[in-house]
């Protein structure tokens, strides 16, 4: 999963039951004829950590999808359809995500879902959505198995769920891109690898390690930390004793920032690198020691430097959201817009009405979606993965993340 100065949206939408038609009943076409003008309401669900240590990212996701919905309604993007969002908080907990998926499936007006942030949460949601033919588009999941199956590492690719899509590049891309930068560009040859034992972190660390070794580098040590713990001094001591010239951390910014701080306090003045999970200002804030030189990769190019993102950034600011769009704002907007475009295609093919089998039709249409989005060209391959393989390396300089290299990854 993870962050970046890419795109993220946040706006709270009331989670209560939607106002239905005059008789108070919901039609069976997956939409509610609840508008005074006779339009059909289509709901886009949003699942993200809206509270807790990762809430900055979650709020960015929510607000960005909300902005996409507001834009669609303002422009009458789908004649006869009014879009709304229903945002649910998973607190980055898999069980909560699964419960949220069940809740969203039970609401017939929901024709697509954006989220979640965490790959581990998504693992518990995919089957629920697939059983109901409800499309899911994650703006942040990066674990390859979600779309390519558990045996992807053996070269056996099989899409587990036809309802799963994502606008974020996978860890196969991100992990290798990071290893190539650290070995070739940064000139590091001896790395100590740490992960947080979670689906995202452990998977990313494994991919990084394999590529770093393939390039000729050496993994001089490995260790694991536990999420929500704060004392990583034993790991820091191992890093110092190993003689490593760099550290790679697979995990999120709450633990990553503390780990970097404690490593530097041992006297090991070496950079800590991680994935999009640590690319957040909070990573820098968590460290009492200056962590200039620390590195992170993130999906896509810096949003602020994309011509395609200028309107998004201006509209987000004008909307007055309390929280920043954060690392995944742009990808969240594009995920929401992809669902809107799929609904548009389905409605157009059904004489301007939402069909009875809308969910299945929207899932099918998503596979054919193609448009110029905030983050660039948005389309999906045969696994539901984004065809956009752009990434950026960021470095901490002067207490801020600064982009140092952006490129399109080629296997």
């Amino acid at each position: 999963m993870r962050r970046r100065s890419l795109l993220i949206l946040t706006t709270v939408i009331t989670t209560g039951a939607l106002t239905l038609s005059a008789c108070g009943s919901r039609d069976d076409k997956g939409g509610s004829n609840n508008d005074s003008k006779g339009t059909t309401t289509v709901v886009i669900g949003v699942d993200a950590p809206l509270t807790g240590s990762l809430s900055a990212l979650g709020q960015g996701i929510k607000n960005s999808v909300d902005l996409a919905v507001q834009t669609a309604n303002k422009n009458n993007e789908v004649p006869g359809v009014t879009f709304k969002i229903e945002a649910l908080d998973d607190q980055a907990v898999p069980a909560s995500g699964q419960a949220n998926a069940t809740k969203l499936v039970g609401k017939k007006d929901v024709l697509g879902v954006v989220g979640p942030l965490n790959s581990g949460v998504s693992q518990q949601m995919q089957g629920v959505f697939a059983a109901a033919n409800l499309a899911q588009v994650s703006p942040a999941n990066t674990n390859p198995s979600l779309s390519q199956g558990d045996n992807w590492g053996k070269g056996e690719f099989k899409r587990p769920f036809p309802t799963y899509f994502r606008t974020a590049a996978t860890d196969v891309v991100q992990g290798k891109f990071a290893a190539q930068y650290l070995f070739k560009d940064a000139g590091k040859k001896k790395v100590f690898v740490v992960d947080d034992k979670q689906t995202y972190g452990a998977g990313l660390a494994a991919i990084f390690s394999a590529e770093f070794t393939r390039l000729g580098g050496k993994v001089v040590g490995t260790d694991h930390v536990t999420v929500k713990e704060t004392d990583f001094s034993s790991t820091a001591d191992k890093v110092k004793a190993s003689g490593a010239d760099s550290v790679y951390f697979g995990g999120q910014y709450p633990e990553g920032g503390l780990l970097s701080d404690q490593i530097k306090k041992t006297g090991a003045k070496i950079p800590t690198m991680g994935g999009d999970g640590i690319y957040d200002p909070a990573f820098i804030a968590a460290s009492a020691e200056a962590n200039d030189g620390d590195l992170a990769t993130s999906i896509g190019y810096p949003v602020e430097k994309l011509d395609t993102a200028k309107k998004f950034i201006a509209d987000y600011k004008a909307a007055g959201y309390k929280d920043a769009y954060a690392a995944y704002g742009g990808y969240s907007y594009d995920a929401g817009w992809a669902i809107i475009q799929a609904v548009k295609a389905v409605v157009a093919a059904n004489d301007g009405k939402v069909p009875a089998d809308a969910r299945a039709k929207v899932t099918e249409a998503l596979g054919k979606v193609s448009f110029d989005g905030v983050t660039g060209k948005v389309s999906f391959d045969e696994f539901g993965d984004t065809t956009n393989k752009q990434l950026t390396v960021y470095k901490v300089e002067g207490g801020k993340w600064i982009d140092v290299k952006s490129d399109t990854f080629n296997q």
Side-chain angles (χ1 to χ4, degrees):
M1 108 191 157
R2 292 71 203 359
R3 322 85 260 339
R4 273 102 257 135
S5 45
L6 302 179
L7 326 162
I8 306 184
L9 317 171
T10 349
T11 291
V12 182
I13 298 298
T14 304
T15 314
L18 295 172
T19 306
L20 303 179
S21 57
C23 64
S25 63
R26 190 190 305 265
D27 69 27
D28 61 358
K29 295 184 178 181
S32 291
N33 294 318
N34 64 347
D35 191 281
S36 59
K37 297 179 181 178
T39 63
T40 299
T41 295
V42 168
V43 178
I44 296 177
V46 178
D47 178 87
L50 303 180
T51 60
S53 62
L54 299 178
S55 61
L57 297 174
Q59 292 291 338
I61 291 173
K62 182 193 68 172
N63 292 344
S64 300
V65 180
D66 179 70
L67 184 60
V69 164
Q70 288 192 34
T71 301
N73 290 337
K74 178 181 178 181
N75 297 342
N76 194 28
E77 187 69 21
V78 184
V81 171
T82 298
F83 291 95
K84 293 185 178 181
I85 74 167
E86 175 155 356
L88 301 180
D89 180 14
D90 63 32
Q91 299 180 308
V93 176
S96 296
Q98 186 176 58
N100 289 346
T102 300
K103 186 174 183 178
L104 291 170
V105 163
K107 295 178 178 292
K108 300 301 181 182
D109 299 338
V110 178
L111 297 188
V113 177
V114 175
L117 169 71
N118 305 85
S119 294
V121 174
S122 198
Q123 285 181 323
Q124 300 303 312
M125 302 177 78
Q126 288 180 302
V128 178
F129 289 138
N133 288 319
L134 182 57
Q136 167 192 8
V137 186
S138 173
N141 291 167
T142 54
N143 188 278
S145 65
L146 296 174
S147 58
Q148 300 175 18
D150 292 336
N151 293 323
W152 64 268
K154 300 177 181 179
E156 301 172 13
F157 305 104
K158 183 179 181 180
R159 189 176 183 179
F161 302 103
T163 50
Y164 181 80
F165 300 82
R166 57 177 142 198
T167 53
T170 71
D171 289 335
V172 173
V173 175
Q174 186 174 196
K176 290 184 177 182
F177 188 73
Q180 290 175 14
Y181 180 87
L182 192 63
F183 183 84
K184 296 179 180 179
D185 297 78
K188 304 301 181 182
K189 309 301 179 184
K190 299 185 294 181
V191 66
F192 194 103
V193 179
V194 184
D195 70 68
D196 64 359
K197 299 180 283 189
Q198 302 299 301
T199 300
Y200 162 74
L204 182 60
I207 294 167
F208 167 88
S209 297
E211 180 68 4
F212 192 81
T213 301
R214 186 190 71 79
L215 292 169
K218 183 178 181 180
V219 176
V220 297
T222 62
D223 203 4
H224 312 281
V225 298
T226 301
V227 172
K228 296 185 179 180
E229 288 191 356
T230 58
D231 182 2
F232 306 129
S233 56
S234 63
T235 297
D237 289 339
K238 292 176 184 177
V239 171
K240 177 70 184 302
S242 72
D245 59 17
S246 54
V247 174
Y248 189 82
F249 175 61
Q252 308 290 340
Y253 61 80
E255 293 74 33
L258 292 173
L259 177 65
S260 173
D261 176 66
Q262 292 171 35
I263 288 172
K264 290 174 175 57
K265 284 179 177 176
T266 67
K269 304 301 183 182
I270 58 178
T272 294
M273 187 178 197
D276 57 321
I278 72 166
Y279 176 60
D280 191 276
F283 171 86
I284 300 172
S287 179
E289 295 286 316
N291 49 10
D292 282 14
D294 283 353
L295 301 160
T297 52
S298 188
I299 52 176
Y301 287 0
V303 167
E304 295 81 0
K305 295 186 176 181
L306 290 173
D307 289 339
T308 54
K310 289 180 178 178
K311 188 176 187 304
F312 164 78
I313 294 172
D315 289 348
Y316 194 94
K317 182 178 180 180
Y321 295 114
K322 178 182 178 182
D323 297 282
Y325 52 77
Y328 302 105
Y331 295 94
S332 302
Y333 185 99
D334 285 346
W337 199 253
I339 293 173
I340 290 167
Q341 291 306 302
V343 172
K344 182 178 183 178
V346 168
V347 170
N350 194 52
D351 298 324
K353 298 179 181 179
V354 177
D357 57 347
R359 286 181 172 177
K361 287 288 201 301
V362 167
T363 296
E364 181 181 0
L366 264 173
K368 304 173 184 177
V369 158
S370 180
F371 61 91
D372 292 323
V374 173
T375 58
K377 192 71 173 182
V378 178
S379 61
F380 305 102
D381 64 18
E382 67 270 30
F383 300 104
D385 287 331
T386 179
T387 56
N388 187 339
K389 310 298 183 184
Q390 298 173 335
L391 297 105
T392 296
V393 175
Y394 295 87
K395 178 188 287 187
V396 178
E397 293 184 2
K400 296 181 179 179
W401 286 110
I402 305 296
D403 58 286
V404 293
K405 181 178 182 178
S406 295
D407 204 353
T408 298
F409 179 80
N410 294 308
Q411 190 71 24

